[in-house]
């Protein structure tokens, strides 16, 4: 078990400058509405210079979405390990990890939610495998909670998916400086998540 809560710590966007420029353009204009020339301009490169680093616009989308899911999975794994063995503690930690990621990595989380359709079939399959691994992690925790009597839901897999959907949706509406700061959002949505699986709504 890890001994720290570093999975909660977020600093600047970890994407390299070219991918950060691509992400900003995709969020502003959509994947299909963004040209390679636009990305190159935002990155301060020529088009040939951009192609030296990434062979296509699709390759940039794949790099961004893969990096996002790799980071989310890593943070969620560390969150669960840090929480110990109790299903409720593990559930709270992974839900918090999901919520913090979709607040602090809002642009890339939004892109992952809205541009899956823009991935080529093979790339989409690889992305969905990563996304499914994240879902199975929460599924396993909820099933453990039901087995131990900590969760009362009669529909553990549906409840687990509902919790994930709620957390992912944060990226579409959260605004810095709004009614809920990240800490308050985690408190409110963790309570809602516990209610969804039939857990004790402890604070």
């Amino acid at each position: 078990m890890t001994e720290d809560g570093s999975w909660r710590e977020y600093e600047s966007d970890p994407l390299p400058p070219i991918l950060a420029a691509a992400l900003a353009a995709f969020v502003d204009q959509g994947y299909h509405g963004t040209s390679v020339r636009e990305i190159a301009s935002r990155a301060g490169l020529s088009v040939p210079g951009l192609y030296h680093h990434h062979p296509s616009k699709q390759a940039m989308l794949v790099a961004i979405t893969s990096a996002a899911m790799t980071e989310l999975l890593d943070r969620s794994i560390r969150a669960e390990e840090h929480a110990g063995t109790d299903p409720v503690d593990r559930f709270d930690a992974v839900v918090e990890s999901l919520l913090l990621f979709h607040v602090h990595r809002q642009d890339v989380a939004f892109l992952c939610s809205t541009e899956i359709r823009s991935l080529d079939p093979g790339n989409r399959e690889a992305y969905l495998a990563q996304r499914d691994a994240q879902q199975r992690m929460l599924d396993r925790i909820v099933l453990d909670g039901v087995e131990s009597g900590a969760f009362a839901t009669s529909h553990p897999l549906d409840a687990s998916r509902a919790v994930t959907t709620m957390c992912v949706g944060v990226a579409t509406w959260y605004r810095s400086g709004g009614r809920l700061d990240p800490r308050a959002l985690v408190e409110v949505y963790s309570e809602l998540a516990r209610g969804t699986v039939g857990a004790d709504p402890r604070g």
Side-chain angles (χ1 to χ4, degrees):
M1 183 175 76
T2 54
E3 297 299 331
D4 64 82
S6 61
W7 54 271
R8 292 188 174 98
E9 298 170 6
Y10 282 82
E11 299 190 10
S12 58
D13 193 326
L15 290 174
I18 294 173
L19 293 182
L23 171 62
F26 293 157
V27 170
D28 289 346
Q29 301 171 189
Y31 175 79
H32 291 293
T34 298
S35 67
V36 171
R37 187 172 299 279
E38 168 70 14
I39 297 170
S41 175
R42 291 185 183 226
L45 295 170
S46 65
V47 171
L50 182 66
Y51 280 135
H52 176 74
H53 296 277
H54 299 281
S56 67
K57 187 171 70 167
Q58 178 73 191
M60 286 182 270
L61 180 62
V62 169
I64 293 167
T65 55
S66 177
M69 286 308 303
T70 297
E71 181 184 5
L72 176 57
L73 280 165
D74 173 69
R75 288 179 180 275
S76 295
I77 289 167
R78 288 189 285 128
E80 184 181 6
E81 290 175 347
H82 182 234
T85 60
D86 180 73
V88 179
D89 291 340
R90 290 158 55 208
F91 178 79
D92 285 347
V94 173
V95 168
E96 182 178 354
S97 175
L98 279 165
L99 290 168
L100 290 176
F101 182 86
H102 286 83
V103 167
H104 293 292
R105 298 285 188 255
Q106 188 173 8
D107 281 353
V108 74
F110 177 78
L111 182 75
C112 287
S113 294
T114 58
E115 293 291 359
I116 296 174
R117 64 185 184 274
S118 299
L119 289 166
D120 292 343
N123 295 329
R124 187 182 307 121
E125 183 177 350
Y127 171 82
L128 291 175
Q130 287 184 295
R131 191 185 69 178
D132 289 348
Q134 175 71 48
Q135 184 62 53
R136 285 194 299 270
M137 181 188 307
L138 193 62
D139 291 347
R140 172 172 42 79
I141 295 169
V142 175
L143 289 168
D144 287 350
V146 170
E147 184 177 0
S148 72
F151 301 157
T153 178
S154 300
H155 309 283
L157 297 182
D158 294 311
S160 177
R161 188 166 297 279
V163 169
T164 298
T165 300
M166 178 176 67
C167 295
V168 170
V170 166
T172 67
W173 62 262
Y174 183 79
R175 294 293 179 272
S176 178
R179 181 174 61 88
L180 297 173
D181 63 20
R183 178 177 297 180
L185 182 138
V186 167
E187 290 178 359
V188 171
Y189 273 68
S190 292
E191 181 178 343
L192 294 172
R194 286 192 293 269
T196 301
V197 297
D200 180 0
R202 59 195 173 110

